[in-house]
Amino acid sequence: MKILVMNAGSSSQKSCLYEIASEQLPEYSPKPLWEANVDWTHYQGFAELKVKTAHNTVLKEKIKADSHASATEHVLNTLLQGDTQVIEEAKEIDAVGHRVVHGGQEYYQATVVTEEVKAAIDRLSTFAPIHNPANLEGIEATEKVFPEALQVAVFDTGFHSQIPLPAAVYPGPYEWYEQGIRRYGFHGINHQYCAQRAAQLLGRNLNSLRLITCHLGNGCSLAAIRAGKSIDTTMGFTPLEGLMMGTRSGSVDPGILIYLLRKGIDADQLDEILNRGSGLKGISGLSADMRSIQSAITEGNSRAQLAFDMFIHRLRSHIGSMLAVLGGLDALIFTAGIGENHALTRTAACEAFAFLGLKLDEAKNQASPKDQDIATADSAIRVLVIPAEEDWAIAKESWHLMRTHNATRQGKG
Ligand code: ADP
């Protein structure tokens, strides 16, 4: 079975093609047959494409693209022609799995895309104005190129849909909740993947585990997971709440916003400041990238040091809050760009929980661990580093739906 995964963001579009046996899913993610990345950030009106196949054929192009849709179609055509061709005909693609950021309260499970589902994704753009339209564009582009494939939507909010109301409802007027203003949470596809992978790595039943997953990438969020279910998370109504991030502020006193609005700043300016001018970048004045923050610290830059110390302070205090919600902890999990690669963040975060008997094995922590337990043998809490595998998680969900779909078709036939 060939499954194409589309992961569309505001400024980039990642896609990959997996070949998976129809009978059984492999335990680990297989190497994709084809991977592509489209980036719109560097040149106005142009897209940079990078395509790589399993045979290491690489195509790099800068193409004129007046719309995201035309660039996406162009990249999808590299599956069918040129040096990066990996399929003969469009109909070889059985399913296309799309990461959709916001599924609202209605959509929490992987869903076959219909006109109704597309209308809902469009409607939910009011809650995710950057991401949902990009996701919809991705769906429409693949429908055009692969009209026979089953289109599947996997929602980033889905995993958090069962968060109990005391954690999901904001303490404003009850009408907010009735209007759909509630905690949705994000990064759900990866939080769920990490919980399942942690159970595998620990050789434990997921139902017996209390986990905190720390997704620390450009966007950062934590999830408190009990028996495989998310019971709290730091992101909220939007992906702006919670931890300090690369360019996003995370939680700040809402009174600051009222103060700034009264001083004459408008909503668009606030949006720009909080989403793109805050976090590591806003405090350091240098960069949103932890690697640059780290090298500036080495050179004695005090604002980079402050940015890092704030990042850690907030990470620790939110881990503490998730810990209280869970009432105990079996494993702390680090994932995504910073979580997977930055040993110092892991050391600093874990230090605060030594009083619980959490002991990090520093040698393992420093040795670029992947899918590995980095706690000492006598640590009271396991500490795992799990590379984010969103694309593979989406492919697996699509595989399951495709099997159900085929079984139903055969039943009818
Ligand atoms: P996204 O949230 O966009 O998927 P990633 O999970 O790829 O992002 O995380 C990107 C971030 O990870 C970068 O901005 C950088 O801060 C951090 N990062 C990546 N590699 C390293 C590294 N070797 N050391 C420290 N931080 C890193």
Side-chain angles (χ1 to χ4, degrees), residues 217-219 288-291 336-338 341-342:
N218 282 316
D289 194 311
M290 189 56 98
R291 287 163 289 198
I338 300 173
N341 298 302
H342 200 224

Side-chain angles (χ1 to χ4, degrees), residues 152-369:
V152 174
V154 184
F155 299 94
D156 223 11
T157 46
F159 182 51
H160 304 297
S161 65
Q162 292 175 4
I163 287 179
L165 289 187
V169 181
Y170 285 103
Y174 187 76
E175 288 72 30
W176 280 8
Y177 173 54
E178 291 176 320
Q179 289 165 29
I181 301 176
R182 55 165 290 162
R183 181 180 308 287
Y184 289 104
F186 299 87
H187 295 142
I189 298 167
N190 193 44
H191 285 300
Q192 182 171 29
Y193 167 79
C194 286
Q196 290 165 349
R197 190 84 185 99
Q200 253 177 3
L201 293 170
L202 296 170
R204 298 265 306 266
N205 186 327
L206 186 53
N207 284 333
S208 72
L209 291 172
R210 293 159 303 179
L211 307 169
I212 297 175
T213 42
C214 309
H215 179 112
L216 309 175
N218 282 316
C220 301
S221 73
L222 307 181
I225 301 171
R226 185 194 288 144
K229 293 199 167 65
S230 168
I231 58 166
D232 203 358
T233 189
T234 54
M235 281 182 171
F237 175 60
T238 72
L240 191 50
E241 195 182 350
L243 297 172
M244 177 171 165
M245 313 184 204
T247 62
R248 283 174 251 171
S249 61
S251 296
V252 295
D253 176 356
I256 298 171
L257 313 185
I258 300 170
Y259 170 80
L260 291 172
L261 285 168
R262 288 203 174 119
K263 277 191 71 169
I265 217 165
D266 67 23
D268 288 339
Q269 288 169 311
L270 261 188
D271 182 347
E272 181 64 25
I273 294 170
L274 295 170
N275 277 303
R276 284 170 285 279
S278 298
L280 292 174
K281 185 172 173 211
I283 296 298
S284 70
L286 287 172
S287 168
D289 194 311
M290 189 56 98
R291 287 163 289 198
S292 313
I293 299 292
Q294 185 67 64
S295 41
I297 292 173
T298 319
E299 286 156 16
N301 185 307
S302 61
R303 272 175 59 184
Q305 182 71 58
L306 175 63
F308 179 73
D309 292 345
M310 288 169 61
F311 184 87
I312 296 300
H313 171 77
R314 285 171 171 249
L315 177 57
R316 286 171 169 176
S317 68
H318 279 89
I319 292 175
S321 132
M322 295 290 127
L323 197 54
V325 170
L326 285 169
L329 185 63
D330 297 298
L332 182 65
I333 296 152
F334 290 95
T335 182
I338 300 173
E340 290 163 29
N341 298 302
H342 200 224
L344 192 57
T345 292
R346 295 190 296 258
T347 306
C350 288
E351 243 169 41
F353 301 97
F355 76 99
L356 292 173
L358 186 158
K359 291 188 210 160
L360 204 58
D361 182 325
E362 254 322 313
K364 286 186 181 161
N365 183 39
Q366 296 292 339
S368 306

Side-chain angles (χ1 to χ4, degrees), residues 42-44 46-49 60-65 74:
H42 297 124
Y43 309 95
Q44 182 97 39
F46 286 88
E48 292 167 279
L49 315 185
K60 283 187 185 171
E61 270 186 315
K62 191 168 127 193
I63 59 155
K64 194 157 170 32
H74 183 92

